[in-house]
Amino acid sequence: MKLIALPAFSDNYIWLLHDDHHALVVDPGDSAPVLTWLQHHPGVQLDMILVTHHHADHTGGLTELVSHTHAHVAGPAMEKMPVETQGLVQGDRLDWHGLGFEVHEVPGHTLGHIAFWAQPVDQAPVLFCGDTLFSGGCGRLFEGTAAQMLGSLDRLAALPDETRVCCAHEYTLSNLKFALAVDPDNQPLRTYAQICADLRHSNQPTLPVPLSTERAINPFLRSRSRAVSNAVRQRDARAMDDVTTFAALRTWKNEF
């Protein structure tokens, strides 16, 4: 399986997975990058589209892609989509040419947000997590609660270390700037920030990133650690437990 990040808009990625014959895409907010790629790869058929949540920058290309390719669309059962969609919930499995996807409900950014995890043969697993987990950060709480998002991130953090985290946005540098403000003595974070700065200087994506790296550097996955929780509580005395600390951390990021 070959994994490609197709840039869209100013900072979105549409993830494309293919085996030289069949392709799937994830969260196609814009049809143009996908159709252009398909035109340059005439032997590859797009026959599956995965959607993590209902926001337009993740669904805007669905109608045109389905019209052109007749691809099957699968997405969150709790959210309305602009095309006919197979609704999925926690624990569902989806098979695509022998590759099995596990479905994880990860509410927080939206109430019905889902993520897809799969283990290609002889390759590291892939996680398509939409706007729930970003490298160095997490999604804003537009519909869900801090408790929901913390639970969602815990669910994703429990996946295997080598999982390739495929986020939907190139937010890494701004997220890491905040992470360093929260956790300035984290040496793995400082090293990773330099690696990512070099990648972006070369106009390369910072993604995908191993989940093990995120566990080491992402303050939203480390909100229970002494370094992060102390930093949050020094700023906000209302941060008394896991959920209120996480909520205060997310508010800090919103205002950063």
Side-chain angles (χ1 to χ4, degrees), residues 12-34:
N12 281 66
Y13 288 130
I14 300 168
W15 291 96
L16 186 147
L17 194 64
H18 74 97
D19 61 2
D20 293 325
H21 302 287
H22 305 95
L24 69 74
V25 294
V26 185
D27 287 347
D30 184 3
S31 61
V34 179

Side-chain angles (χ1 to χ4, degrees), residues 11-107:
D11 54 31
N12 281 66
Y13 288 130
I14 300 168
W15 291 96
L16 186 147
L17 194 64
H18 74 97
D19 61 2
D20 293 325
H21 302 287
H22 305 95
L24 69 74
V25 294
V26 185
D27 287 347
D30 184 3
S31 61
V34 179
L35 293 174
T36 297
W37 188 92
L38 291 171
Q39 288 170 3
H40 287 91
H41 299 80
V44 181
Q45 177 189 1
L46 176 67
D47 57 6
M48 177 68 76
I49 301 173
L50 306 181
V51 183
T52 62
H53 65 292
H54 67 83
H55 287 163
D57 63 322
H58 296 251
T59 63
L62 285 174
T63 300
E64 187 169 7
L65 286 177
V66 170
S67 175
H68 277 76
T69 69
H70 306 291
H72 180 79
V73 181
M78 290 179 58
E79 298 190 352
K80 186 176 180 179
M81 295 290 134
V83 298
E84 183 177 349
T85 301
Q86 178 185 354
L88 300 171
V89 297
Q90 176 67 38
D92 282 347
R93 287 186 61 87
L94 184 71
D95 182 80
W96 178 69
H97 301 291
L99 181 61
F101 285 90
E102 295 179 1
V103 176
H104 296 271
E105 290 183 351
V106 285

Side-chain angles (χ1 to χ4, degrees), residues 104 117 127 133 151-161 163 211 215 221:
H104 296 271
W117 182 90
L127 171 67
L133 173 63
S152 296
L153 294 177
D154 285 345
R155 179 183 296 279
L156 297 183
L159 294 169
D161 281 352
T163 297
L211 183 58
R215 289 201 198 97
L221 297 186

